[in-house]
Structures are given as C-alpha cells and as structure tokens.
Amino acid sequence: MEPIVTRFAPSPTGHLHIGGARTALFCWLLARHTGGSFLLRIEDTDRQRSTKEFEDSILEAMAWLGLKSDQEPVHQSDRVDAHNAAIDRLLQEGKAYWCECTPDQVEAMRERARAVGAKPKYDGTCRERGLGPGEGRVVRFKTPPAGDTAFHDMVKGRVSWPNQELDDMILRRSDGSPTYNLAVVVDDHDMGVTHVIRGDDHVANTPRQILLYQALGWDIPKFGHVPMILGPDKKKLSKRHGALAVIEYRQMGYLPEAMINCLARLGWSHGDQEIFSSDELIEAFDPHGFGSSAAVFDMAKLDWLNSHYIKESTPKRLAELLKPYFQRDVQTGVKDAELFLGTGSRAQLAARVETVTLDYLERIIPLYQPRSKTLAEMAEAARFFVLGWEALEYDPKAVKKFLTEDTRPRLKEIAALLRGLKNFDEKALEETVKGYMEEHELSFKQIAQPIRVAITGKTASPGLFETMAVLRKNETVKRLLRAADLEQA
RNA sequence: GUCCCCAUCGUCUAGGGGUCCAGGACGCCGGCCUCUCACGCCGGUAACGCCGGUUCAAAUCCGGCUGGGGACGCCA
C-alpha cells in the first residue's frame, strides 16, 4: 500500500483555534500512525484577510503542540500558475465555460430560486453561450445537471449529494484569480495528498471537489469530516466562548501534552482510555475511533488533564515554564493587591523574581505539583515564596483571626528555637515545633495556622514544614518575627 | 427556504440485536485521610429525545417526528 499523505491547510486569517488544532492533530496522527507524511499548506489566497502575523502565530501554536510537518509549508499563493493551467485545460476540454453574469444578476437568480423554495444558485445562463475571455468575465465549472455525487467518508460513512444542489461554481474570478475549490484540488493532487481530514463545515465542498477530480482525470483522495466542536451553548465555537486561540491556552498555563490529550478525546476515543501520551496516541490512533456527533469543548476536563500532566512533569521543566508567570503577574497585577496589609508591591515582586534562581523555583514546584491546575494558578499561589520577608503580603482577615495577642508571643519563641537549628530540614522542623507544643501543652491545630499566616501571609498553603524548609532558616525566622510584631489593622 | 449531517448521564464517551434494570472519565455531592488548601482513596448522583415498525429479543436495524449542527460567496 502506498504511504498515506495528509495535510493541514489553514488560512492565515486568524489564530489557530481549538477546532483547527484538533484537525491538525488528527491529520498528524494518521500520518504518524501509518508511517506516512504530514504536510502543511497555507491557504493565503485571500490577500485581504491573510497576514504574515497570523501565519506565524499558527506555526508557533503548532510548534508548541509538537505538530511538525514533514516538509516546508506550501503557500497556495505561490501556486497560481498550476491552478490556471488546470482551469485552462478544463476550458479547452469543454468542462468549464466563460460567464459574463454580474454579481448582481447572480444575486437576482438566487432570490428568484429562494422565492419558489428552491436552492439558491446560479441558473446556468451562460453555460451554452460559448463565450470567450473578456473583461469582467469569470470561468465556471459545468456541473453535471443530474445524478448524485457520493463518497465514502472516513467518519460519516456514505455521503451522497444531489448534483442539482451544486451550482456551476466559479473557478476563476473576474480578476483572474483561481477560487478555493479549484485551488484545493490542484494543490492536494500535486502534493500527493491521499487522505483529507477536515472539519464538518467542509462536507458541502467535497462533492464539488470530487467532480473536479473527475473532470481533471485525477485519483480522488479519501475524505474524513470530523464533527464540529461546539461551545457550552452547543453553538459553533466562537469568540464569545472565551479564549479560543491555542496560544492563549499556553499563556493561561496549560501544558501542550494536556491540550493534545484533551483535543484527541474530542471526537475520537479508544475504549475507556482517557490519558494518552503522544506515543500512545500515535500507537492507538485509528480512524475507526472517530465519533460522528458534534462535541462540546469542556474546560473542566482540560483542567483535570492539565493537573494530571503537571503532576507527571519534572520540577526542572516546570521551573523554566513558570518563571514568566511571575513576571506577567507583575505586569497585569494581582486583583487583591491593595487588600494586603504588607508593603509587598508589584515592583518588589518584579525585582525579586529577577534574583530568584531556577534552582529555588525547582524546590518550590514539588509543593505545588499536587495542587495546581495551571501554571498561572501555581505562580499566583507561590507568590509568597518569591516575595521577600520584608515585602510579604498579608491577608488582613487571616491576620486578624490568627495573629492574636495570644499567638504572637509564641511566634517569637518558635522563631528563637528555629534559629538554633543546624539542620533546617522538614524532620528537624517538625520535631522542634512539636516539642514546643508538648512543652506548652498546645495542640498542633492551635499553632499551625498562626505559623502559616506568619510565613505565607495566607491561610492556605503547602505543608508547614516543607514550606519552611524551602524558605530556609533566615527567611523563615524573619517572617516569624515580622509577623509577631505586626500591627493589627 | 433547499440540501447534507448528527442524536447514550450536565460534559467527553464505551456500546455495533441478547452478556446493559447501560460501562468509563470529567464535573457535582457525601465520606475517609489531614497542620490549612490541595492530592489521594472510598461511595453516591445522573443518560439510551419521541412514536411506530422488524425480531423470540433493540441503546444497538428500518421509517417518521422532534431537536441540534452545517452548507448554500467572484471567503477559505
């Protein structure tokens, strides 16, 4: 069997969104699974709306997801000569014709058809007139007037279309440029594409393209139309549904492997398996796993997958990915910044994060791997590790509740004890604090929260001793002492 | 309006005539663990859109209905 060739063909008129990313993933997986190749074609023939920025953005998003194409991307705009050659041949063979109807006239035809409850389409006025080239004329395809065009779809099974529904589509515009359906067929043929996987919104184009393949005498590729991805309201996913561009998910702190895993399970399944590594996907990927109904994109599931992969990842990698979030945090600001009692400020965080080493971040991360859904969330929760003791922010409610007249003196005593420790590790810390409790007949619960508020400024944090160990002795003691002297608001 | 496609828990889905009073996962609820928050573990909640057929037997096959989506460009 010939090797499979798939292709992803985005138009650079916007960022790569969820639906496009999933299509690309499926194409890539089919190629990888079968040992074939995965190609990329930039459909930039709409010069009004296509931009280099969007093209770069799409490429960047695909690189982030690890969907590399096996050859340099093809630009459709570079291929007009090939498109024109095909149109000319169709013209010569009498399979296409010149038409001088104006857009207004065609619109009137459509209106007339609509009025009698028929499909709005071009009525074939110029079809048999034998017109030649001329100013303002377009080239149209002679669609067979009767019969059906059917094909076997990899996800839908048999799909059949009445030719009557298809009007004589324009192949060449009046400005001489080739149109989409023609260009796609010529490009896919020339690129040797054997399997076309694309969104459901392209099904209606398929019979037209098949007719073109037949007219040109070319082999017809296999088609697979994957169902649309819907928003929570079950409507086509759109800007209204929040962040859609794949690169935005990266900014929000999602890991590419989580995104890939999530995308793969939208419209495709493999028994009961939910977690797939890239290699597992390649291994298991089989078009038989395609589902046929539209799917709603569920952020909650992405969160779950992401927290899973955060747990699986290494602190070293996470440290590098995390650092920018502190800096971004600095730029966008934290919503409650003013509510904190401390003198901590964005500027101070900015200054601190520059001095923080990757090594320090690497020690913080294990404490947050079990408790973070995204990197952004992780950075937010770990703020207090980065801010120095003198800039630490305190939650006023926590201070009021736990740093009381009773507890503050104890923090001082504990600070003194900890200062004497020579091994500032979890075990020693626990022994010391527990020893203090026994001596003063206190329960751990009575003293844990005051300590926590003192060293983190908050009521929720990772374990006390692991937190102190990461903070190290000097920083821990300073925080304890500062909290002990805090003025009540 | 015309044509095409789709229809199992709130969501993603398994299921391709009997093994399904429908399984898994996310979410949600409850419990356990526990220094807080999480993690983890245990348990629970919840679905075959409707109506007809075919069959000894239907979530699974057929038809209709309803509902949803998509396409009807000199955009891609």
Side-chain angles (χ1 to χ4, degrees):
Chain A
M1 196 178 86
E2 285 175 62
I4 283 177
V5 178
T6 63
R7 113 270 130 129
F8 177 56
S11 61
T13 53
H15 297 286
L16 182 67
H17 54 96
I18 298 292
R22 189 195 54 169
T23 302
L25 171 64
F26 285 166
C27 291
W28 181 81
L29 284 173
L30 182 60
R32 290 291 83 92
H33 176 73
T34 59
S37 43
F38 169 65
L39 273 28
L40 188 59
R41 181 174 67 235
I42 307 295
E43 309 218 316
D44 55 352
T45 49
D46 182 343
R47 284 159 201 144
Q48 306 297 318
R49 297 189 298 147
S50 299
T51 70
K52 182 79 170 85
E53 285 65 39
F54 284 135
E55 179 179 334
D56 291 343
S57 162
I58 290 168
L59 259 20
E60 188 187 347
M62 287 181 69
W64 178 61
L65 292 172
L67 305 179
K68 284 192 256 323
S69 68
D70 297 320
Q71 287 172 211
E72 279 302 295
V74 169
H75 286 80
Q76 196 159 54
S77 57
D78 289 340
R79 298 190 29 83
V80 267
D81 289 348
H83 303 154
N84 277 322
I87 296 171
D88 290 340
R89 207 180 102 207
L90 255 13
L91 237 18
Q92 271 162 23
E93 294 172 0
K95 293 167 178 167
Y97 61 93
W98 289 94
C99 165
E100 63 173 2
C101 298
T102 64
D104 285 350
Q105 288 174 304
V106 177
E107 186 45 44
M109 292 171 199
R110 287 198 247 269
E111 273 314 312
R112 243 171 283 144
R114 240 186 291 261
V116 289
K119 165 102 176 174
K121 59 174 204 174
Y122 175 69
D123 69 0
T125 300
C126 298
R127 194 175 163 114
E128 305 300 342
R129 292 177 63 195
L131 257 26
E135 183 73 14
R137 291 182 184 176
V138 300
V139 175
R140 286 184 183 274
F141 180 67
K142 265 189 197 171
T143 300
D148 293 316
T149 297
F151 60 98
H152 182 85
D153 191 282
M154 284 183 278
V155 353
K156 295 178 182 303
R158 188 190 149 84
V159 176
S160 176
W161 220 279
N163 288 158
Q164 279 190 332
E165 283 294 311
L166 279 17
D167 57 0
D168 287 353
M169 62 181 145
I170 290 177
L171 266 22
R172 176 184 290 159
R173 301 185 185 93
S174 54
D175 68 359
S177 61
T179 57
Y180 169 76
N181 278 118
L182 183 279
V184 166
V185 169
V186 174
D187 291 343
D188 280 340
H189 172 261
D190 288 356
M191 290 165 76
V193 172
T194 62
H195 294 247
V196 174
I197 294 176
R198 56 187 10 169
D200 212 351
D201 47 345
H202 279 290
V203 255
N205 287 322
T206 306
R208 301 173 210 275
Q209 292 174 12
I210 287 174
L211 256 13
L212 246 19
Y213 276 102
Q214 289 169 339
L216 259 1
W218 292 338
D219 285 344
I220 300 167
K222 300 245 182 305
F223 293 97
H225 293 90
V226 293
M228 305 263 76
I229 296 178
L230 276 22
D233 57 358
K234 303 244 185 188
K235 296 265 190 263
K236 191 175 179 178
L237 212 47
S238 72
K239 323 282 174 288
R240 295 182 296 107
H241 299 298
L244 282 167
V246 168
I247 39 174
E248 290 185 70
Y249 286 90
R250 177 176 63 178
Q251 287 165 3
M252 288 187 281
Y254 291 94
L255 262 20
E257 58 268 42
M259 199 70 211
I260 287 285
N261 197 148
C262 190
L263 255 21
R265 286 288 288 99
L266 269 183
W268 180 83
S269 63
H270 185 68
D272 283 339
Q273 190 170 348
E274 295 287 347
I275 304 285
F276 293 87
S277 68
S278 236
D279 287 343
E280 282 175 317
L281 278 176
I282 291 170
E283 170 68 28
F285 193 74
D286 174 349
H288 290 298
F290 281 137
S292 46
S293 52
V296 173
F297 178 65
D298 185 13
M299 282 287 282
K301 195 128 182 180
L302 210 214
D303 281 344
W304 172 69
L305 249 4
N306 204 233
S307 60
H308 168 81
Y309 284 107
I310 283 176
K311 290 183 195 87
E312 299 262 287
S313 193
T314 64
K316 185 172 163 52
R317 166 158 92 122
L318 262 14
E320 277 157 18
L321 293 176
L322 191 65
K323 191 162 181 180
Y325 287 88
F326 290 108
Q327 286 148 341
R328 178 148 26 137
D329 201 43
V330 170
Q331 284 158 14
T332 58
V334 177
K335 58 266 174 216
D336 300 326
E338 307 79 33
L339 299 178
F340 286 100
L341 275 181
T343 58
S345 70
R346 294 171 209 176
Q348 272 163 313
L349 182 62
R352 286 289 296 199
V353 81
E354 290 310 322
T355 68
V356 157
T357 61
L358 246 28
D359 176 70
Y360 181 52
L361 251 26
E362 252 184 84
R363 294 196 300 123
I364 296 170
I365 283 166
L367 312 197
Y368 285 99
Q369 280 177 289
R371 24 171 77 79
S372 304
K373 289 208 262 288
T374 66
L375 295 176
E377 190 184 290
M378 188 185 282
E380 172 61 28
R383 255 173 96 81
F384 72 85
F385 272 110
V386 174
L387 251 13
W389 66 272
E390 70 288 349
L392 187 64
E393 299 155 333
Y394 295 93
D395 172 357
K397 278 196 188 138
V399 169
K400 190 165 188 211
K401 182 163 181 197
F402 294 107
L403 299 189
T404 62
E405 296 298 326
D406 290 342
T407 59
R408 287 193 288 166
R410 299 197 183 286
L411 294 178
K412 240 175 200 148
E413 292 170 14
I414 291 169
L417 284 175
L418 296 187
R419 183 153 36 204
L421 245 34
K422 55 181 193 304
N423 285 327
F424 206 75
D425 58 25
E426 274 186 61
K427 190 161 172 279
L429 285 162
E430 181 159 7
E431 280 169 6
T432 308
V433 174
K434 295 229 159 123
Y436 175 85
M437 282 160 39
E438 276 164 30
E439 196 181 321
H440 294 78
E441 293 183 324
L442 290 165
S443 73
F444 191 45
K445 276 185 192 286
Q446 287 174 286
I447 201 68
Q449 283 305 74
I451 295 176
R452 188 184 314 281
V453 174
I455 64 176
T456 72
K458 306 183 291 185
T459 53
S461 79
L464 235 35
F465 307 117
E466 50 186 354
T467 298
M468 292 193 274
V470 169
L471 244 16
R472 297 207 223 261
K473 192 202 282 186
N474 181 52
E475 189 64 29
T476 302
V477 171
K478 288 267 176 42
R479 289 181 187 213
L480 253 11
L481 292 177
R482 180 178 168 212
D485 289 336
L486 251 197
E487 291 298 321
Q488 282 282 357

